[in-house]
Amino acid sequence: MTLIGNLVEDPELRFTPNGVPVARFTVASTPRTFDREANAWQDGETTFLDCTAWRQLAENLTESLSKGARVVVAGRLRTDRWETPEGEKRSRMVLDVDDVGASMTFATVTITRTGRSVPPRDTAPDDPWATASRARPVPTDSDTVSASANTSAEPPF
């Protein structure tokens, strides 16, 4: 399910007893339709949906988003069921979030990439990719001259 709306409040970050980050937040989504007779936009009934995000996503969104931010949220819908101390059965719909993005309909966004918390893996000593850099190499004067002299040549990589 994909939901577009606004954050009702700042996302709340907590940690499970095992230290796993979890964020909870609520998205308000209000459909709008154009009324031709009134020549104006009309707001429909607002839907509030509780959302839960886990791990790195939880930490990233609590650092990046705040109350009022327009977001695009994708995830899986599930039903939480419980019983009150008085014995009443209750339920609510919750979106288990797979991804969240800031909507760029009415705002601009600057992306800052975070480091991955992936443990290093052993590589073979003769593996040329083991020391490869993710940074783009800076072209030298000779690269510029040779590229401009032969435009049909393949890029140097």
Side-chain angles (χ1 to χ4, degrees), residues 1-4 25 27 49-54 57 61 71-79 93-101:
M1 174 178 181
T2 302
L3 175 69
I4 301 171
F25 58 99
V27 177
L49 189 58
D50 293 328
C51 301
T52 304
W54 294 87
L57 174 60
L61 79 92
V71 293
V72 179
V73 183
R76 291 159 278 113
L77 202 55
R78 70 174 164 84
T79 304
M93 300 302 288
V94 177
L95 189 66
D96 283 331
V97 177
D98 293 321
D99 210 349
V100 177

Side-chain angles (χ1 to χ4, degrees), residues 15-136:
F15 295 87
T16 67
N18 293 336
V20 178
V22 58
R24 293 200 170 123
F25 58 99
T26 303
V27 177
S29 182
T30 306
R32 298 192 85 195
T33 55
F34 189 75
D35 183 348
R36 291 179 189 245
E37 292 177 16
N39 198 29
W41 288 95
Q42 301 293 322
D43 287 340
E45 183 86 20
T46 301
T47 299
F48 295 90
L49 189 58
D50 293 328
C51 301
T52 304
W54 294 87
R55 297 176 181 73
Q56 190 66 49
L57 174 60
E59 292 182 303
N60 290 348
L61 79 92
T62 56
E63 289 180 27
S64 304
L65 301 171
S66 59
K67 178 180 178 177
R70 187 164 176 83
V71 293
V72 179
V73 183
R76 291 159 278 113
L77 202 55
R78 70 174 164 84
T79 304
D80 264 353
R81 292 183 172 88
W82 70 96
E83 194 170 307
T84 66
E86 295 80 27
E88 298 174 345
K89 293 186 180 191
R90 302 276 173 99
S91 67
R92 69 180 180 149
M93 300 302 288
V94 177
L95 189 66
D96 283 331
V97 177
D98 293 321
D99 210 349
V100 177
S103 171
M104 293 188 283
T105 302
F106 304 111
T108 60
V109 175
T110 301
I111 304 294
T112 304
R113 197 169 185 91
T114 60
R116 296 185 78 185
S117 58
V118 176
R121 55 188 170 134
D122 295 331
T123 58
D126 61 344
D127 182 2
W129 293 102
T131 58
S133 170
R134 293 193 59 116
R136 181 182 297 270

